[in-house]
Amino acid sequence: MNNLPEPAPVVQLPDGTYAYADQLPAIHQPTGPQVVHQHIHQAPPDRTVQRIALGSGIGAGTVAAGVYFGPLLVGALTAIAANLAILAFLAIALTWGVVTVVKSVGGPDGKAAAKTLRTSRARRWK
């Protein structure tokens, strides 16, 4: 029965696991100094606040809540600011539209009313 192939030798890896010798990963030979290029989303989070908080005696639950709700609060405030910006843009656009319609439809009285509206608003903002 010599027609069967020989079994591949099994080796024990440094971490204690076993693997077949013919399936070992290739060993990487560095050719020069290794440059670490790390993107911001791969970087570990800054834990300064957590260390200060844990050092001052508050519990880990409070630190976890800060870690969870901090970015959540930033996202909510950003959404609110975006909504307010859209509302401000709509208010400006609608005011411009009303003034334009009053000027064009109202004749001389409409132009006088638009001018009065413009000057009274300018005085109010000073």
Side-chain angles (χ1 to χ4, degrees):
M1 292 244 180
N2 289 336
N3 59 355
L4 296 176
E6 283 193 35
V10 177
V11 294
Q12 186 176 10
L13 300 176
D15 63 352
T17 59
Y18 293 93
Y20 290 109
D22 60 348
Q23 295 178 355
L24 291 177
I27 298 173
H28 175 68
Q29 297 293 331
T31 56
Q34 184 177 2
V35 178
V36 176
H37 180 74
Q38 192 171 42
H39 292 279
I40 188 67
H41 64 274
Q42 295 170 331
D46 183 18
R47 300 195 186 273
T48 306
V49 175
Q50 292 91 322
R51 288 187 184 122
I52 292 171
L54 287 173
S56 65
I58 64 173
T62 307
V63 174
V67 170
Y68 178 77
F69 288 113
L72 199 64
L73 178 64
V74 170
L77 291 176
T78 303
I80 291 170
N83 287 338
L84 289 176
I86 290 170
L87 289 175
F89 176 74
L90 285 175
I92 290 170
L94 290 175
T95 303
W96 174 80
V98 167
V99 168
T100 303
V101 168
V102 168
K103 275 184 181 180
S104 64
V105 173
D109 293 333
K111 290 181 182 177
K115 184 177 181 182
T116 304
L117 179 65
R118 189 180 321 129
T119 56
S120 68
R121 194 172 344 132
R123 273 188 259 130
R124 185 175 28 175
W125 288 105
K126 285 185 179 179

